[in-house]
């Protein structure tokens, strides 16, 4: 998620306007969507592997291109923290590096959910200081149960020969744009009681995207014999788990809430959870 815009909803949420009735506020949240590549990379670990063949020019290109590509992934998915492992492989004649078997083995060897393989580039005829290139990037997402295959992406551009390493790094960074997440605004409802204490603390934490802190509060609030309050806390726990990407756990909390006393916003949240689990 990216940001939230809050709007307060008046009125009781469950049983009409009575003293200490549960209320709700609506959050407009920019939610991360799959990238233009078609891959949903949120919550996954990556490794970028590039080929080397002993040629100085192509070697420097691939090393810097792969580094820029990894930096783009880190900026988009890890807040700029260095979380993407970078490896090189010496190219051997006849080896099929883009095959599914090779990439599956890399998943196991490198302990990464998603492998990106940067193939050897092909250079065009240099004109002035610009060097045209064509490069293939292959991707295998071991967490994608629906399409167990290798994805191939190809692109052509040019880099300046004057500052070769920097230009190649920039080309790799720009190539990573297709794997950047897209954003879509969605609305969510969160339940609260206007009694201060943990209810207020949880609401403030959630509004600031501090979901773990909010979840801790709701766990305490769910430990009660008051069925209505327990159901509301359980619904909020489902929302918090959803925001943390724990979709199965979110469904389990929503099931508990519905079993205790369904809230009218439950159906909408359930629909969003199931959509994300596809």
């Amino acid at each position: 998620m990216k940001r939230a815009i809050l709007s307060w909803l008046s009125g009781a949420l469950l049983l009409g306007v009575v003293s200490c009735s549960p209320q709700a506020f609506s959050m407009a949240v920019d939610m991360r969507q799959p990238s233009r590549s078609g891959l949903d990379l949120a919550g996954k670990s990556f490794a970028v592997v590039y080929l080397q063949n002993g040629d100085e020019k192509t070697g420097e290109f691939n090393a810097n291109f792969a580094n820029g590509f990894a930096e783009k992934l880190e900026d988009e998915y890890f807040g700029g923290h260095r979380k993407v492992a970078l490896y090189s492989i010496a190219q051997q004649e006849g080896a099929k590096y883009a095959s599914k078997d090779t990439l599956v083995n890399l998943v196991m060897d490198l302990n990464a959910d998603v492998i990106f393989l940067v193939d050897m580039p092909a250079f065009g005829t240099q004109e002035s200081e610009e060097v045209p290139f064509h490069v293939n990037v292959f991707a295998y997402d071991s967490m994608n149960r629906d399409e167990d295959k290798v994805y191939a992406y190809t692109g052509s551009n040019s880099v300046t020969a004057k500052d070769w390493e920097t230009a190649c790094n920039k080309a790799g960074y720009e190539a990573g744009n297709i794997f950047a997440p897209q954003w879509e605004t969605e609305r969510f409802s969160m339940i609260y009681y206007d009694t201060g204490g943990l209810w207020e603390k949880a609401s403030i934490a959630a509004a600031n995207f501090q979901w773990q802190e909010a979840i801790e509060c709701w766990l305490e609030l769910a430990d009660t014999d008051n069925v209505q309050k327990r159901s509301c806390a359980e619904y909020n726990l489902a929302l918090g788990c959803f925001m943390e990407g724990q979709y199965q756990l979110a469904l389990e909390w929503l099931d508990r809430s519905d079993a205790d006393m369904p809230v009218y916003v439950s159906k909408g949240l359930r629909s969003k959870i199931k959509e994300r689990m596809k």
Side-chain angles (χ1 to χ4, degrees):
M1 73 203 65
K2 201 173 184 181
R3 61 180 175 81
I5 301 174
L6 310 181
S7 58
W8 296 91
L9 302 181
S10 61
L13 184 68
L14 293 172
L15 303 177
V17 181
V18 295
S19 178
C20 296
S21 295
Q23 314 257 338
F25 63 81
S26 176
M27 303 177 66
V29 184
D30 283 348
M31 297 295 293
R32 192 190 310 252
Q33 305 295 325
S35 64
R36 289 188 292 114
S37 70
L39 295 176
D40 187 354
L41 302 174
K44 299 174 183 177
S45 59
F46 313 139
V48 176
V49 180
Y50 61 95
L51 298 183
Q52 294 276 269
N53 65 357
D55 179 78
E56 183 177 358
K57 179 180 180 180
T58 56
E60 288 182 350
F61 176 92
N62 256 18
N64 288 284
F65 182 95
N67 186 71
F69 185 86
E71 287 179 350
K72 179 62 174 179
L73 295 175
E74 289 167 337
D75 286 347
E76 293 292 342
Y77 292 96
F78 303 104
H81 296 291
R82 298 296 162 237
K83 296 287 187 179
V84 178
L86 193 62
Y87 302 90
S88 66
I89 295 179
Q91 186 182 40
Q92 297 182 10
E93 187 176 353
K96 297 180 179 179
Y97 293 99
S99 71
K100 178 181 170 182
D101 287 343
T102 297
L103 295 181
V104 168
N105 287 334
L106 287 173
V107 166
M108 303 299 293
D109 293 342
L110 305 181
N111 193 30
D113 298 327
V114 184
I115 297 293
F116 295 95
L117 175 70
V118 180
D119 202 359
M120 297 302 303
F123 297 111
T125 302
Q126 182 174 347
E127 299 179 4
S128 65
E129 293 185 350
E130 294 298 311
V131 181
F133 71 87
H134 179 87
V135 67
N136 296 316
V137 176
F138 302 96
Y140 178 73
D141 181 0
S142 65
M143 305 295 285
N144 188 341
R145 307 304 184 195
D146 295 328
E147 295 190 62
D148 185 26
K149 67 178 185 179
V150 176
Y151 293 81
Y153 306 90
T154 184
S156 299
N157 208 331
S158 62
V159 291
T160 179
K162 186 176 181 180
D163 192 354
W164 184 247
E165 293 184 4
T166 300
C168 295
N169 193 89
K170 181 180 178 182
Y173 192 90
E174 292 175 349
N177 284 333
I178 192 175
F179 299 100
Q182 302 181 95
W183 298 92
E184 180 178 314
T185 302
E186 299 182 33
R187 299 200 72 87
F188 298 88
S189 295
M190 183 160 49
I191 306 171
Y192 73 103
Y193 282 79
D194 192 15
T195 55
L198 285 175
W199 286 104
E200 180 179 1
K201 182 179 178 181
S203 296
I204 292 173
N208 289 306
F209 299 123
Q210 297 168 346
W211 292 106
Q212 281 299 323
E213 181 179 341
I215 285 171
E216 291 175 6
C217 295
W218 291 325
L219 282 170
E220 288 190 51
L221 291 166
D223 185 19
T224 176
D225 292 330
N226 185 311
V227 177
Q228 185 186 78
K229 289 186 176 180
R230 186 169 68 226
S231 175
C232 293
E234 290 165 341
Y235 166 86
N236 285 344
L237 282 165
L239 176 62
C241 291
F242 173 81
M243 293 297 182
E244 290 285 276
Q246 299 176 315
Y247 303 132
Q248 184 57 48
L249 186 57
L251 276 183
E252 292 175 10
W253 279 114
L254 202 56
D255 288 341
R256 290 190 183 189
S257 174
D258 287 350
D260 279 335
M261 181 181 290
V263 296
Y264 82 88
V265 290
S266 173
K267 185 177 180 180
L269 179 58
R270 184 177 296 276
S271 177
K272 291 180 183 294
I273 296 171
K274 288 187 174 180
E275 182 64 28
R276 285 293 179 124
M277 294 179 72
K278 288 183 179 179

